Amino acid sequence: IPLVMHRVSNTSVEGLSLLSLNELVFNVPRSSRWHTLVSSLTVLQPWSWWLTVVGFRALSGRSWGSSVLYGLAPTAALYALWVLYIII
């Protein structure tokens, strides 16, 4: 069996995400309940959030404050629910 097809591996899928904040900064172990949440955060997400706000502002013509509030509300709600799920 070629090395690429080898079944035993010490590297997780999350470990292959080189831009993950968990891999770069936090190093939360796999056994932690926070591992999946922290591994889902990447260094590219602030850029994505910025583009969401700018796009929302361009399409709606609203102020920056409204664009941040309405543009990032779904993302903030998702992460808030995820944190509550982990805590409870």
Side-chain angles (χ1 to χ4, degrees), residues 29-59:
R30 278 176 161 175
S31 59
S32 172
R33 295 169 53 171
W34 294 92
H35 176 76
T36 307
L37 174 67
V38 177
S39 294
S40 74
L41 298 170
T42 68
V43 296
L44 297 177
Q45 280 183 317
W47 177 250
S48 173
W49 297 335
W50 169 252
L51 290 176
T52 301
V53 170
V54 169
F56 188 86
R57 185 169 191 270
L59 289 173

Side-chain angles (χ1 to χ4, degrees), residues 10-30 34-43:
N10 292 333
T11 304
S12 66
V13 173
E14 293 90 3
L16 296 175
S17 177
L18 300 177
L19 300 177
S20 166
L21 289 181
N22 189 39
E23 295 299 317
L24 295 172
V25 179
F26 299 115
N27 295 319
V28 175
R30 278 176 161 175
W34 294 92
H35 176 76
T36 307
L37 174 67
V38 177
S39 294
S40 74
L41 298 170
T42 68
V43 296

Side-chain angles (χ1 to χ4, degrees), residues 39-88:
S39 294
S40 74
L41 298 170
T42 68
V43 296
L44 297 177
Q45 280 183 317
W47 177 250
S48 173
W49 297 335
W50 169 252
L51 290 176
T52 301
V53 170
V54 169
F56 188 86
R57 185 169 191 270
L59 289 173
S60 69
R62 294 181 183 245
S63 68
W64 282 107
S66 295
S67 297
V68 169
L69 180 68
Y70 293 119
L72 297 182
T75 303
L78 174 73
Y79 281 107
L81 289 172
W82 200 347
V83 167
L84 283 174
Y85 177 75
I86 291 171
I87 291 173
I88 295 173

